[in-house]
Amino acid sequence: MTTQTFENEEWIVVLKLSTQWKMFDIRNLAIRQLDVAKIDPIDRFILAQKHSIPRWLSSSLISVIRREDSLSIAEAEKLGFDLALKICRVRDSSRILPDVLDDHAWSSAVSVEFQEELRLPALSAIERVVRARENGVFEFLRASYVDLVERPKALSDDEAMKLGCETTVRICRVREQRIARNLSMLGSMNLVDNELQVELSTTTSLSAIERVVMSRGNIAEWLQRSLVETAQRHQFSSDEVESLGKEAAMRLYRVREAVSNTQWDTKPFDVCQVVVDQEFSNEIRTVRNGAQGYSGTEEASAVDENAEEIEYLDTMIPTPKRKNGGKGRVKHY
């Protein structure tokens, strides 16, 4: 621990105790000392919330929103996931996703961010077809058929038996057309939709988020594709966040930042201030209300002199009459 860090920690203790005991002069002295201290913006934000210091609140939020590094899961846990998701949403609104982006970039980012969840037993394309038929999910079944069409290896007799005679013939026909016409995966998907439309029409289509929930702990390929589709969306509703889980929603925002890290639209400070005031109005209002109990003002100015603060407090807080009729200033604690 460096001397500077130790001094900061000492002033934080002074701030805590002076706030707790309503020692206004000492509290403002601690705030002024910490104004110029090197404190991580997230730690400063937490201090601002805990000790009712409005002017730190907005500035620390803007610093986090404008920085290049994504909000980490550890930082989200410190802030609370609700607030962290708000910050991610504001950061995401400042990012520019390219009109055309290689799916490999999305898949790679998802693989990195969700590596623990994606550690599932691998299933062959045929096994995925069988599972998809059991689940009756359109997107899973179509994706499994496309995988069969796209793979270089021909269908084996055992695989043909699992697929059934008619489906095997249709898959082989699609494979031949794909090779003859040198089609992309999108072209293969269109062929699968045409050739297997009868079977596919009996399945149910689910949203990407519903598929994420269904494929968790199930099949890695389905989970990854569903996560990619979900990450490509712009925003998540509160219900969707609830379905995904707050940490997963945070990770999806991190995926979006990873694929757009070269397309960062840094907004001017004053524009960020407006956005922060709008998005975090409840948090700011709560801290300002709390500050009223300590200084009688919002503490909007950067630094105030002790004498001015005491004079102001004298006008706000009536001086109690002394029983002995003595004169002199009454200190407010």
Side-chain angles (χ1 to χ4, degrees):
M1 182 183 296
T2 65
T3 303
Q4 182 62 41
T5 302
F6 182 70
E7 289 178 352
N8 289 348
E9 290 182 356
E10 282 187 321
W11 280 116
I12 289 170
V13 172
V14 171
L15 173 63
K16 175 184 175 182
L17 295 177
S18 61
T19 299
Q20 181 180 339
W21 296 332
K22 295 191 177 182
M23 302 171 67
F24 299 121
D25 297 352
I26 298 175
R27 168 184 157 85
N28 282 295
L29 176 61
I31 290 173
R32 287 201 303 275
Q33 292 294 324
L34 293 169
D35 271 335
V36 295
K38 291 183 178 180
I39 300 175
D40 179 81
I42 288 176
D43 291 332
R44 189 179 288 276
F45 176 85
I46 293 170
L47 284 172
Q49 276 194 316
K50 189 173 182 179
H51 302 300
S52 302
I53 309 171
R55 69 169 177 263
W56 287 359
L57 203 68
S58 294
S59 61
S60 54
L61 280 172
I62 290 172
S63 296
V64 175
I65 289 167
R66 287 167 57 88
R67 77 181 194 184
E68 291 186 9
D69 294 339
S70 301
L71 203 63
S72 70
I73 300 301
E75 289 173 328
E77 289 172 345
K78 287 175 69 175
L79 290 167
F81 279 104
D82 288 329
L83 180 62
L85 284 168
K86 271 190 181 183
I87 292 172
C88 287
R89 185 170 65 244
V90 173
R91 284 174 60 85
D92 190 69
S93 66
S94 299
R95 292 196 174 267
I96 305 170
L97 287 172
D99 294 332
V100 179
L101 190 63
D102 184 5
D103 278 347
H104 178 70
W106 287 102
S107 296
S108 297
V110 164
S111 295
V112 170
E113 198 61 46
F114 291 89
Q115 56 182 322
E116 292 297 327
E117 278 202 72
L118 290 171
R119 286 178 180 170
L120 298 169
L123 297 181
S124 67
I126 290 292
E127 289 172 322
R128 293 200 298 276
V129 167
V130 173
R131 294 283 288 275
R133 283 174 170 175
E134 293 172 354
N135 292 330
V137 177
F138 170 80
E139 290 81 7
F140 291 161
L141 185 57
R142 180 172 65 172
S144 301
Y145 280 145
V146 170
D147 287 344
L148 280 177
V149 170
E150 289 281 316
R151 78 177 194 184
K153 181 183 175 182
L155 292 174
S156 67
D157 292 341
D158 184 57
E159 290 174 332
M161 289 182 63
K162 290 181 179 178
L163 287 173
C165 181
E166 182 179 347
T167 301
T168 299
V169 170
R170 291 184 181 278
I171 290 293
C172 289
R173 188 154 55 205
V174 172
R175 284 171 60 87
E176 289 174 3
Q177 291 181 57
R178 185 191 70 82
I179 294 171
R181 295 158 62 180
N182 192 27
L183 296 175
S184 65
M185 180 176 289
L186 182 60
S188 298
M189 189 179 296
N190 291 333
L191 290 176
V192 165
D193 287 344
N194 291 331
E195 279 290 341
L196 296 149
Q197 60 179 324
V198 174
E199 182 180 3
L200 291 173
S201 66
T202 64
T203 58
T204 302
S205 181
L206 298 180
S207 70
I209 290 178
E210 289 173 325
R211 281 181 274 130
V212 168
V213 175
M214 176 175 281
S215 57
R216 275 177 167 161
N218 195 350
I219 298 176
E221 291 83 358
W222 294 351
L223 179 57
Q224 183 165 24
R225 287 174 181 172
S226 302
L227 286 168
V228 166
E229 286 184 47
T230 304
Q232 289 171 338
R233 298 182 48 182
H234 183 58
Q235 297 289 353
F236 310 120
S237 69
S238 56
D239 289 341
E240 289 170 337
V241 169
E242 194 67 28
S243 297
L244 287 167
K246 293 175 183 177
E247 182 175 337
M250 267 285 304
R251 291 188 181 279
L252 287 168
Y253 275 120
R254 285 171 54 82
V255 168
R256 288 178 61 82
E257 290 196 23
V259 298
S260 62
N261 57 5
T262 58
Q263 300 289 329
W264 175 232
D265 177 23
T266 305
K267 287 181 167 48
F269 186 90
D270 56 342
V271 175
C272 280
Q273 181 70 65
V274 172
V275 174
V276 164
D277 288 345
Q278 291 173 345
E279 286 287 339
F280 301 91
S281 58
N282 290 336
E283 289 82 359
I284 292 172
R285 188 182 305 111
T286 299
V287 171
R288 282 177 176 168
N289 290 341
Q292 296 286 344
Y294 298 109
S295 65
T297 182
E298 294 181 356
E299 292 189 78
S301 60
V303 176
D304 295 322
E305 295 299 325
N306 281 350
E308 293 176 357
E309 291 164 352
I310 295 171
E311 182 179 351
Y312 179 75
L313 287 168
D314 280 342
T315 65
M316 296 296 294
I317 304 174
T319 302
K321 295 181 179 179
R322 298 193 178 190
K323 292 181 179 180
N324 59 8
K327 296 182 180 180
R329 183 181 304 282
V330 176
K331 293 184 179 179
H332 306 289
Y333 293 110

